[in-house]
Amino acid sequence: TVYKNATGIWAIDFAENYPSAHVVGTDISPIQPAFVPPNCTFYVEDAEKPWSFEQQFDFIHLRMMVISVRNWPQLFEQAFEALRPGGYIELQDLILLARCDDDSAPPESPLMHWSNLMVEAGKRMGLDFGASETFPTLLHAAGFIDVRVETYAWPMNKWPKERQLKQLGVWAQQNFFQGVQGFSMGFFTRALGMQQAEVMQIVDEVKRHAADLNSHIYLPISVFTARKPEGA
């Protein structure tokens, strides 16, 4: 199994749950924990550069990579070559623009405005934050079969009435609050030319808005799976 994401938590959990598997995790920064299961190994690698693994894999998992990958066709081609025949790829990713279906968060509201700024910053850096909508087509083009998609609404706080969605909103908000300052600062200063103080003001407003239960904002999150054909 090869896994590409930031913190390494998924790879560690997978290795602990499947001790007979050999799990390889990669990231462009060595930020993973120092102590990991003996069947889990991390490497500092850029997923958009040539993959140099000596072995093929049964399963490749990528999560929340849409904010960092520029060349998805190339990545899928490399993943196809890195899989054994019959192996699977799984992707979990979002579509950024933020959505609101009932006008409780108008386009000029802080979180919706932030979302548009992120999309514009991504474009200027060669990134398409809606790229996951093209994944099924790109996976087929790379040679994968049995391509499947499941899409969910990821509420930005606990505004939904349904209990499971409310809990999901709690987790989503915590995840968002942990990351919004870091990636806003990076994208807005580098791509949009903003000053640090301006970015911090936007982040503060966005956090307050994201905590407003009267604003029914969500992000679409999709899970994609596909298989490499036997004999390929």
Side-chain angles (χ1 to χ4, degrees):
T1 298
V2 64
Y3 161 77
K4 295 182 177 293
N5 191 252
T7 64
I9 293 174
W10 187 97
I12 293 170
D13 287 347
F14 192 99
E16 290 177 342
N17 289 328
Y18 299 94
S20 63
H22 177 210
V23 181
V24 174
T26 73
D27 185 39
I28 59 173
S29 301
I31 63 171
Q32 291 74 32
F35 299 100
V36 299
N39 60 323
C40 182
T41 307
F42 287 104
Y43 296 100
V44 177
E45 297 278 357
D46 185 340
E48 291 201 270
K49 293 183 178 179
W51 294 14
S52 57
F53 302 112
E54 296 181 357
Q55 78 277 24
Q56 289 183 304
F57 300 96
D58 296 303
F59 181 67
I60 295 176
H61 175 86
L62 302 97
R63 179 167 41 167
M64 297 303 179
M65 298 283 284
V66 75
I67 64 171
S68 58
V69 172
R70 291 177 172 84
N71 192 337
W72 282 104
Q74 175 183 283
L75 188 147
F76 287 143
E77 289 169 5
Q78 295 205 92
F80 187 87
E81 293 300 321
L83 280 170
R84 294 188 180 97
Y88 281 84
I89 184 172
E90 178 187 60
L91 302 103
Q92 300 173 2
D93 230 312
L94 54 78
I95 300 171
L96 188 67
L97 291 166
R99 312 291 175 90
C100 178
D101 296 337
D102 61 4
D103 298 324
S104 60
E108 66 274 12
S109 59
L111 185 48
M112 304 299 278
H113 178 58
W114 170 88
S115 175
N116 282 284
L117 288 175
M118 283 291 294
V119 170
E120 177 60 29
K123 287 180 180 178
R124 296 188 187 186
M125 297 178 71
L127 296 163
D128 178 5
F129 291 159
S132 61
E133 293 182 302
T134 69
F135 286 178
T137 300
L138 297 179
L139 287 165
H140 279 297
F144 288 98
I145 61 173
D146 297 340
V147 177
R148 298 182 180 181
V149 185
E150 295 182 7
T151 300
Y152 307 90
W154 186 1
M156 296 304 293
N157 58 42
K158 59 181 182 180
W159 65 261
K161 294 181 179 179
E162 199 275 324
R163 183 176 179 180
Q164 186 176 4
L165 286 176
K166 190 180 292 291
Q167 183 61 56
L168 179 61
V170 172
W171 295 335
Q173 185 184 83
Q174 182 180 9
N175 180 71
F176 180 72
F177 280 7
Q178 288 176 345
V180 63
Q181 178 177 327
F183 47 71
S184 297
M185 190 66 69
F187 280 105
F188 292 176
T189 58
R190 296 171 189 170
L192 302 181
M194 292 185 180
Q195 298 299 312
Q196 181 175 346
E198 183 180 5
V199 177
M200 289 304 302
Q201 181 179 350
I202 292 174
V203 169
D204 290 342
E205 293 173 353
V206 166
K207 284 185 174 182
R208 284 194 294 271
H209 190 205
D212 180 5
L213 300 184
N214 294 314
S215 295
H216 302 157
I217 303 172
Y218 68 93
L219 292 172
I221 302 288
S222 294
V223 178
F224 306 84
T225 59
R227 182 170 64 89
K228 181 174 181 176
E230 298 285 353

